Amino acid sequence: TFLTQKQTHMFTLQPPASCAPLRAFSVGNPKNAKPSRSTAIITRARVSDSPRIIVENDEETKKFRLRDHQREVIRDMGDFASGELMGLLKPTDKNWQPQDFLPDPESEEFLDNIKEIQKRAEGVSDDLMVVLVGDMITEEALPTYMNMLNTLDETKDITGADGTPWAQWTRKWTAEENRHGDLMNKYMWMTGKCNMKPIETTIQNLIGSGMNPQTDNNPYLGFVYTSFQERATKISHGNTARMALEAGDDKLAKICGIIAADEGRHEIAYQRIIDEVKKRDPDGAVLAFADMMKKQITMPAHLMDDGQHKARTGRDLFSDFAAVAERSGVYTADDYADIMEHLIKRWEINSITGLSAEAMEAQEYLMKQPDRIRKLAAFGKKKAAKKGPMTESFSWIFDREVQIN
């Protein structure tokens, strides 16, 4: 599932003035657009952004949409999608299911097993519980992520039951991911440490709010995004597994670990898609990667809202959740830089030759970013250290307080 908790409360990444957004994959307000036969569509990139106007069939719009040669690249990848990509999924009868890790309701020991879960959860800190709940809420917003994949040209599932390999991948990837939220939700409920009503409210609000990852219906951009997100999710679940084990809850650790393993397999799938794009269109792959990094990876759960937190604190719920994740070491700004560095190495960005001037500029930009992000993260940590400790309550854990800085 797409999980990146980039710490916007710590630092904001802005591209240097010398690196203007890549026009092939971005759109702003069209200049001198004539509305004669065109239809104006207003969209929002982020909730706080002012609307950007897209005029159908004008030159600016055509620049960020999938070009003809890019459509051919995706179409040429059909055999890859039906073979290698689909091969990274597991058959249902060989996959784990949530019930494999939960007490059997038909067992005479069912209630005793729940008491054991609650006993083990006593050692899990409220900080870790907040992060676990936030991760679970992100997993539960799966309908939004399937919807996002179905905005991508040439790979979308037009009817909802298309037989194309891309459509089958999206549905079966979604089916595998669906187990994650199911399992975490049931386990969190059994611990007795979570207030499920506001958690359920947050899930409904998040799905209803949707997300805009700024992928512009372009699969190049979309699969760069998912390559980043799946690795981020793997890191987050892997860290919660380690921390749960340290807290004495080996069952919870196993649950987080098995979910992290799924995310790792899905990460490989999406990164291999970009491998294939790069073979056929190295310019397009580099430009897409750079464009998503300049836009920054939009957090899929950044619109989470329990209906209480912001009214009480004046801050977004996601910001405080992300602060707890940062402080506890589950997912940090350094992780964001590490993921970017991993993808640069994974796709061998530095060694690609024969690029256009625009792609070479993007290549140079990408190579500089991990160190730049780490410097900004270090600056943010020093700035945060000068402030006194600050705590905040979360409805998810019956309004208990945890430190957020």
Short mmCIF file of all heavy atoms in Angstrom, two decimals, residues 116-117 119-124 187 191 241 243-254:
data_model
loop_
_atom_site.label_atom_id
_atom_site.label_comp_id
_atom_site.label_asym_id
_atom_site.label_seq_id
_atom_site.Cartn_x
_atom_site.Cartn_y
_atom_site.Cartn_z
N GLU A 116 -4.80 -13.03 25.96
CA GLU A 116 -3.35 -13.11 25.74
C GLU A 116 -2.88 -11.96 24.85
O GLU A 116 -1.81 -11.37 25.07
CB GLU A 116 -3.00 -14.45 25.10
CG GLU A 116 -3.14 -15.64 26.04
CD GLU A 116 -2.93 -16.97 25.32
OE1 GLU A 116 -2.56 -16.93 24.12
OE2 GLU A 116 -3.14 -18.02 25.95
N ILE A 117 -3.67 -11.63 23.82
CA ILE A 117 -3.34 -10.50 22.96
C ILE A 117 -3.30 -9.21 23.76
O ILE A 117 -2.38 -8.40 23.64
CB ILE A 117 -4.37 -10.39 21.81
CG1 ILE A 117 -4.20 -11.53 20.82
CG2 ILE A 117 -4.24 -9.04 21.08
CD1 ILE A 117 -5.26 -11.59 19.73
N LYS A 119 -2.80 -8.92 26.96
CA LYS A 119 -1.68 -8.96 27.90
C LYS A 119 -0.38 -8.56 27.20
O LYS A 119 0.41 -7.77 27.74
CB LYS A 119 -1.55 -10.38 28.48
CG LYS A 119 -0.45 -10.54 29.51
CD LYS A 119 -0.72 -9.74 30.76
CE LYS A 119 0.34 -9.98 31.82
NZ LYS A 119 0.11 -9.14 33.03
N ARG A 120 -0.16 -9.11 25.99
CA ARG A 120 1.05 -8.76 25.25
C ARG A 120 1.05 -7.28 24.87
O ARG A 120 2.10 -6.63 24.86
CB ARG A 120 1.17 -9.60 23.98
CG ARG A 120 1.50 -11.07 24.21
CD ARG A 120 1.94 -11.74 22.92
NE ARG A 120 0.93 -11.62 21.87
CZ ARG A 120 -0.04 -12.50 21.68
NH1 ARG A 120 -0.15 -13.57 22.48
NH2 ARG A 120 -0.92 -12.34 20.70
N ALA A 121 -0.12 -6.73 24.55
CA ALA A 121 -0.21 -5.34 24.11
C ALA A 121 0.08 -4.35 25.23
O ALA A 121 0.33 -3.17 24.96
CB ALA A 121 -1.60 -5.07 23.55
N GLU A 122 0.07 -4.81 26.47
CA GLU A 122 0.37 -3.91 27.59
C GLU A 122 1.76 -3.30 27.46
O GLU A 122 2.01 -2.18 27.92
CB GLU A 122 0.24 -4.65 28.92
CG GLU A 122 -1.19 -5.02 29.29
CD GLU A 122 -1.28 -5.82 30.57
OE1 GLU A 122 -0.21 -6.08 31.17
OE2 GLU A 122 -2.40 -6.17 30.98
N GLY A 123 2.67 -4.04 26.83
CA GLY A 123 4.03 -3.53 26.68
C GLY A 123 4.23 -2.63 25.47
O GLY A 123 5.31 -2.05 25.31
N VAL A 124 3.21 -2.51 24.64
CA VAL A 124 3.31 -1.65 23.45
C VAL A 124 3.03 -0.21 23.85
O VAL A 124 1.97 0.10 24.38
CB VAL A 124 2.32 -2.11 22.36
CG1 VAL A 124 2.39 -1.18 21.14
CG2 VAL A 124 2.62 -3.54 21.93
N TYR A 187 -6.72 -6.98 14.69
CA TYR A 187 -5.78 -7.14 15.79
C TYR A 187 -5.79 -5.92 16.71
O TYR A 187 -5.77 -6.05 17.94
CB TYR A 187 -4.37 -7.38 15.25
CG TYR A 187 -3.42 -7.91 16.31
CD1 TYR A 187 -3.31 -9.29 16.54
CD2 TYR A 187 -2.65 -7.05 17.09
CE1 TYR A 187 -2.46 -9.79 17.51
CE2 TYR A 187 -1.80 -7.55 18.08
CZ TYR A 187 -1.71 -8.92 18.28
OH TYR A 187 -0.87 -9.41 19.25
N THR A 191 -6.69 -5.72 20.93
CA THR A 191 -5.76 -5.28 21.98
C THR A 191 -6.49 -4.55 23.10
O THR A 191 -6.00 -4.51 24.24
CB THR A 191 -4.69 -4.33 21.42
OG1 THR A 191 -5.33 -3.10 20.98
CG2 THR A 191 -3.91 -4.96 20.29
N ALA A 241 7.49 -3.78 13.12
CA ALA A 241 7.70 -5.19 13.50
C ALA A 241 8.84 -5.30 14.52
O ALA A 241 8.70 -5.98 15.55
CB ALA A 241 8.02 -6.02 12.26
N MET A 243 9.99 -2.95 16.51
CA MET A 243 9.63 -2.29 17.77
C MET A 243 8.61 -3.10 18.56
O MET A 243 8.66 -3.13 19.80
CB MET A 243 9.10 -0.88 17.48
CG MET A 243 10.15 0.05 16.93
SD MET A 243 9.48 1.67 16.48
CE MET A 243 10.95 2.44 15.77
N ALA A 244 7.69 -3.76 17.87
CA ALA A 244 6.73 -4.61 18.57
C ALA A 244 7.43 -5.77 19.25
O ALA A 244 7.08 -6.16 20.37
CB ALA A 244 5.68 -5.11 17.58
N LEU A 245 8.42 -6.33 18.57
CA LEU A 245 9.18 -7.44 19.15
C LEU A 245 9.93 -6.97 20.39
O LEU A 245 9.96 -7.65 21.42
CB LEU A 245 10.14 -8.01 18.12
CG LEU A 245 10.88 -9.29 18.52
CD1 LEU A 245 9.90 -10.42 18.80
CD2 LEU A 245 11.88 -9.70 17.43
N GLU A 246 10.53 -5.79 20.30
CA GLU A 246 11.25 -5.23 21.45
C GLU A 246 10.30 -4.96 22.61
O GLU A 246 10.70 -5.02 23.78
CB GLU A 246 11.95 -3.92 21.03
CG GLU A 246 13.12 -4.13 20.06
CD GLU A 246 13.65 -2.82 19.51
OE1 GLU A 246 13.04 -1.76 19.78
OE2 GLU A 246 14.69 -2.85 18.81
N ALA A 247 9.03 -4.66 22.29
CA ALA A 247 8.04 -4.39 23.33
C ALA A 247 7.45 -5.67 23.92
O ALA A 247 6.63 -5.61 24.85
CB ALA A 247 6.92 -3.51 22.76
N GLY A 248 7.83 -6.81 23.37
CA GLY A 248 7.37 -8.08 23.91
C GLY A 248 6.16 -8.69 23.23
O GLY A 248 5.63 -9.70 23.71
N ASP A 249 5.74 -8.10 22.12
CA ASP A 249 4.57 -8.65 21.40
C ASP A 249 5.05 -9.33 20.12
O ASP A 249 5.08 -8.73 19.05
CB ASP A 249 3.57 -7.54 21.09
CG ASP A 249 2.20 -8.10 20.67
OD1 ASP A 249 2.16 -9.25 20.20
OD2 ASP A 249 1.20 -7.38 20.82
N ASP A 250 5.42 -10.59 20.26
CA ASP A 250 5.97 -11.31 19.12
C ASP A 250 4.92 -11.58 18.04
O ASP A 250 5.24 -11.66 16.85
CB ASP A 250 6.61 -12.62 19.57
CG ASP A 250 5.64 -13.54 20.29
OD1 ASP A 250 4.70 -13.03 20.94
OD2 ASP A 250 5.81 -14.77 20.22
N LYS A 251 3.66 -11.72 18.42
CA LYS A 251 2.59 -11.95 17.44
C LYS A 251 2.37 -10.72 16.58
O LYS A 251 2.22 -10.81 15.35
CB LYS A 251 1.29 -12.34 18.14
CG LYS A 251 1.38 -13.57 19.02
CD LYS A 251 1.71 -14.82 18.21
CE LYS A 251 1.70 -16.06 19.09
NZ LYS A 251 2.09 -17.29 18.37
N LEU A 252 2.32 -9.56 17.22
CA LEU A 252 2.17 -8.31 16.48
C LEU A 252 3.38 -8.10 15.57
O LEU A 252 3.24 -7.64 14.43
CB LEU A 252 2.01 -7.13 17.44
CG LEU A 252 1.91 -5.74 16.82
CD1 LEU A 252 0.73 -5.66 15.86
CD2 LEU A 252 1.79 -4.67 17.91
N ALA A 253 4.56 -8.43 16.06
CA ALA A 253 5.78 -8.31 15.26
C ALA A 253 5.68 -9.18 14.00
O ALA A 253 6.06 -8.75 12.90
CB ALA A 253 7.00 -8.70 16.08
N LYS A 254 5.14 -10.38 14.16
CA LYS A 254 5.01 -11.28 13.02
C LYS A 254 4.01 -10.72 12.00
O LYS A 254 4.23 -10.81 10.78
CB LYS A 254 4.56 -12.66 13.48
CG LYS A 254 4.59 -13.71 12.39
CD LYS A 254 4.30 -15.10 12.94
CE LYS A 254 4.40 -16.16 11.84
NZ LYS A 254 4.14 -17.52 12.36
#
